[in-house]
Every structure is written in structure tokens, then in C-alpha cells.
Amino acid sequence: MNQNGRATKQGDKLLKMPGKFDRGPVEFESRIVEQEGQVMGIATRDVVAVAQTATIINAVETMTTCGFRRLPIVDPGTRKMRGIVTASDIISLMGGGDRYSLVTVKNGGNLIAALNESVREVMSQQFISLTPMASIQDAIDLIVRKKIGGVPILDDQGVLEGIVTERDLMRLFETERSMLTVEEIMSSPLRVIGPDSPISAVTREMVKHTFRRLPVVSDEVLFGIITSTDIVKYLGTGRVFDQLVTGDVGEVMSLPVRDLMSGDLITTTPDTGITQAAKEMLDKGIGALPVIENARLIGLVTEFDLVKAFAGR
């Protein structure tokens, strides 16, 4: 069994902890019954959005208040969609990604000044969408193929009509029966980070590997999970300003990751059925479950993993 020793470079650890079962390729012998119909039947219709003139901090505060990982950017009058800002965009702004230059170059390292820039500076103008006439299967296909957490729904004029997410699809699959277990679909091995690692190390890892979350491990024991949403909340609740004296981004990014993690640590086991895992995630309102075997972290099962499995992909 490969085990990580204690390393000084906490931000670049790869946890390889195979369990007792053989983790060969998963073979889907039968496909879960497809859910066909109009996507608007499961989508959120009254979508919260902000204008391009909103500041980045205003957008982040909205995401935090509403519990969103993504926020459409629209024209105030027409609701025509102009872009989308996601938790990943905010992570990029906080360090290591393309948007970090808005802090370091344009604003000379001053985080407060950068957060008061227009949200158009960090939003993605190229985005994938569905039409209101799309089927639920279209939504599943797009989310699984593009590996994205949510898709806006636009009419033929580009007006925002709704948004459908992985969690919306999970609610459809909650009552489906499957013989698959968590072990058969979980992600493994995992890249992990230590509890004393600075936020800067977390943001670099998330940007580099396009992760939404990282397990936090200390002495081979799971300490918690740090998510992109935790970092967004750090900004959106105003906690970030408690760390600022000069306004320099370095004051914020040196904070240890242990100070950002929130909520109880909820885990699962490799032999848990995926239907039960889906129910647990929906009940707790979480996007992933660490998989524990013999007191050790061996994998992570996410909403995306479950949608993909239930869809028979």
C-alpha cells in the first residue's frame, strides 16, 4: 500500500490508498432508465443574476448569500445573458489562475481594489447553454460530456430562462435503483493538502487540476474537505477583510486552510450503494462524500460521479 509520509510541501501531495477491493474498470451491464422530458420541468426558473456593472465583491456576496457556485451575468432590462461567473473564476482571481493578474498586475497586489473591479473582468463570456425545449437527457449529456456543474437555459434571443445543475439531476435519480457501489464510481487516487497549508497552495492546486474541492489530510488521517465554495464564502461573508491591514493579497493568502473549512465531516464507505450516497448528499446539501475504509481515505464520490453513473456513462 502506497502511503504518503509527512512532507514539507503540503500543496503537492498525491494520496494513493487502494482499499481491499479490486478497482478495475466499471462495466455498466444495464442502463438506468432514462429520464426524458423538458428540462424546464426540473430547472430553477427564477434565476438570481447580476449586471456586468456589479463589482466582483457584490457578485461574490450574492453567491454566498444564495449558496451558488455559479452566477449568470445579464443585462438588467432584457435579462439577456452576457456571461457567467463561477466559484472557479473566483479561485483563479485568488491565486494561480489567469484572473490573478487582475490583482497582481492591474491593481498592484491590492486585493480590495481588485474586488471592487467590475464583475465583467472575471466572468466567462464563452459559455454553454440549453434551450427551454431541451430534454432532460440533453442536460445529462451536456453536463457529463463537458464536465460542468450547471447549464443556463436561454431562449432564442439569449434571454435567461432558467438553470439546471448536477443537483437537479441528482433529485431525479434519488429514487432509482442501482446495484453499483460507491467504490465502483469514486475518484481515486486523490490529491490532498495539509491543514496548515496556506490558502495560496489550495488555490494553485484547484486551478492547476481544475478541482472544486481538496481533501485535507494530516498524518494520513482525513482532517476535512476544503471546497471552492468555502473560499468564496471567505470573501462573501467579509471574513477576508479581518485579515487585511495593507490590502495586500499576501496577507489573505497566507491564512492556513484549516481556518476556512466549515461544517461537519460526513463520510461514506466503499460498499455503500450509490442510491444511498445520492440521498445522503441531497439530505445534507453537500457535493461530495469522502470514502473511508479502515479509518483511511481511499476515494471521493461527487455529484458528478453519481450523475455519470446513474446515466450509465
Side-chain angles (χ1 to χ4, degrees):
M1 176 179 296
N2 286 331
Q3 300 180 5
N4 286 317
R6 300 181 71 176
T8 57
K9 191 177 180 183
Q10 294 286 351
D12 191 24
K13 296 172 66 180
L14 186 64
L15 186 69
K16 297 182 178 180
M17 291 185 176
K20 63 186 178 184
F21 301 114
D22 177 25
R23 286 185 177 78
V26 177
E27 294 186 6
F28 298 96
E29 296 182 355
S30 61
R31 185 181 177 85
I32 301 298
V33 176
E34 294 181 355
Q35 301 280 350
E36 292 288 345
Q38 298 305 314
V39 71
M40 292 302 291
I42 65 167
T44 299
R45 293 171 179 262
D46 188 14
V47 182
V48 175
V50 298
Q52 296 181 75
T53 53
T55 63
I56 295 170
I57 191 62
N58 287 157
V60 169
E61 287 170 349
T62 300
M63 293 170 73
T64 299
T65 300
C66 299
F68 296 157
R69 288 203 304 255
R70 60 195 60 80
L71 183 67
I73 312 301
V74 301
D75 287 339
T78 64
R79 295 274 295 178
K80 187 171 183 178
M81 189 164 168
R82 296 301 184 184
I84 191 166
V85 62
T86 67
S88 296
D89 294 324
I90 304 305
I91 297 303
S92 178
L93 174 72
M94 294 290 285
D98 295 341
R99 290 161 176 78
Y100 192 42
S101 62
L102 182 66
V103 179
T104 58
V105 178
K106 187 175 180 180
N107 288 283
N110 190 301
L111 181 62
I112 294 176
L115 290 173
N116 281 286
E117 294 273 2
S118 166
V119 72
R120 68 166 61 93
E121 296 286 347
V122 294
M123 74 181 190
S124 300
Q125 297 184 51
Q126 302 296 321
F127 51 86
I128 298 167
S129 64
L130 290 166
T131 71
M133 296 305 294
S135 70
I136 292 174
Q137 190 61 52
D138 291 333
I140 293 171
D141 291 342
L142 193 56
I143 284 175
V144 170
R145 187 173 74 252
K146 296 296 185 178
K147 298 181 179 179
I148 51 179
V151 184
I153 302 169
L154 311 181
D155 70 9
D156 56 4
Q157 301 298 314
V159 174
L160 181 64
E161 295 286 344
I163 192 165
V164 61
T165 67
E166 291 168 330
R167 192 156 298 177
D168 295 323
L169 298 176
M170 286 262 288
R171 292 189 184 98
L172 284 179
F173 295 131
E174 186 180 10
T175 57
E176 294 285 354
R177 293 185 177 275
S178 173
M179 298 302 293
L180 292 173
T181 64
V182 162
E183 183 177 38
E184 294 176 282
I185 70 165
M186 69 184 186
S187 300
S188 182
L190 300 174
R191 193 166 291 277
V192 302
I193 204 152
D196 293 320
S197 298
I199 299 173
S200 58
V202 176
T203 55
R204 283 196 302 269
E205 287 288 291
M206 286 183 172
V207 170
K208 181 178 179 181
H209 301 287
T210 63
F211 293 155
R212 298 182 204 168
R213 55 188 65 84
L214 280 169
V216 180
V217 174
S218 178
D219 293 329
E220 300 184 0
V221 175
L222 180 64
F223 188 86
I225 298 285
I226 180 70
T227 69
S228 58
T229 302
D230 291 329
I231 297 175
V232 170
K233 285 181 179 177
Y234 178 50
L235 294 177
T237 59
R239 284 186 58 207
V240 63
F241 301 112
D242 296 337
Q243 303 296 320
L244 289 172
V245 177
T246 66
D248 187 84
V249 66
E251 295 172 345
V252 172
M253 302 308 286
S254 61
L255 191 73
V257 68
R258 68 166 73 238
D259 291 353
L260 264 65
M261 292 184 298
S262 59
D264 297 328
L265 181 59
I266 302 168
T267 64
T268 190
T269 58
D271 57 351
T272 299
I274 64 171
T275 301
Q276 178 60 35
K279 185 178 186 305
E280 185 81 358
M281 284 191 203
L282 289 169
D283 288 347
K284 302 296 184 182
I286 55 178
L289 287 170
V291 185
I292 304 296
E293 183 179 67
N294 297 327
R296 291 178 175 173
L297 176 68
I298 63 169
L300 190 70
V301 61
T302 67
E303 288 175 320
F304 178 81
D305 294 328
L306 289 167
V307 169
K308 184 177 177 181
F310 279 118
R313 304 304 175 83

